[in-house]
Amino acid sequence: MHRGVGTAFRVAGKMAACGAEPQVLVQYLVLRKDLSQAPFSWPAGALVAQACHAATAALHLHRDHPHTAAYLQELGRMRKVVLEAPDETTLKELAEILQQKNIDHMLWLEQPENIATCIALRPYPKEEVSQYLKKFRLFR
């Protein structure tokens, strides 16, 4: 069993035993759309890799948080939502807002260029973070 998972599993189990629905946890990612377009024209695989890097880093950084432990407890039930930011400025503005509001996240910077490409939040109940993400649409 992974570190911290036992506690999260017991909490979810107690909720289910009481008849309460366990919280649905979602990991949100916000990926730059402009990187797929000219003048950047990154291939789809490169963009997917950026989202994967950000998601993995956010999960690792916040691995001891009970929401993260619960999220990782049932691998087949993980939920991710990938949203699009139009450009780097918008992505960095979102990172600043999340920082100010103490929302745990990871702003992934592609190296060695130091380009901000994606933000991944740690797993959260949707209602706790939706207000900060409502202006972003699903990535297409």
Side-chain angles (χ1 to χ4, degrees), residues 11-125:
V11 169
K14 286 180 184 176
M15 290 173 60
C18 296
E21 287 291 319
Q23 282 184 314
V24 175
L25 298 170
V26 179
Q27 185 176 29
Y28 287 94
L29 294 95
V30 183
L31 183 60
R32 282 180 53 191
K33 179 67 174 177
D34 65 322
L35 293 175
S36 68
Q37 303 161 341
F40 303 105
S41 302
W42 287 20
L47 288 175
V48 171
Q50 297 304 303
C52 290
H53 292 323
T56 303
L59 290 171
H60 179 72
L61 287 173
H62 303 288
R63 65 189 173 276
D64 294 326
H65 192 283
H67 285 158
T68 304
Y71 181 81
L72 294 171
Q73 180 64 37
E74 294 188 56
L75 296 178
R77 302 186 87 192
M78 288 193 283
R79 292 186 181 188
K80 285 187 175 47
V81 175
V82 182
L83 305 170
E84 63 182 40
D87 53 38
E88 187 174 25
T89 300
T90 305
L91 192 71
K92 286 182 171 181
E93 288 170 354
L94 174 61
E96 188 174 313
I97 290 167
L98 295 174
Q99 184 72 32
Q100 291 170 357
K101 301 299 183 181
N102 294 314
I103 302 297
D104 295 332
H105 67 283
M106 174 67 188
L107 173 62
W108 187 257
L109 300 174
E110 178 63 6
Q111 298 300 326
E113 301 88 353
N114 209 37
I115 297 172
T117 59
C118 187
I119 290 174
L121 280 62
R122 72 157 167 81
Y124 273 94

Side-chain angles (χ1 to χ4, degrees), residues 2-18:
H2 296 286
R3 197 167 85 191
V5 172
T7 303
F9 182 72
R10 284 192 296 274
V11 169
K14 286 180 184 176
M15 290 173 60
C18 296

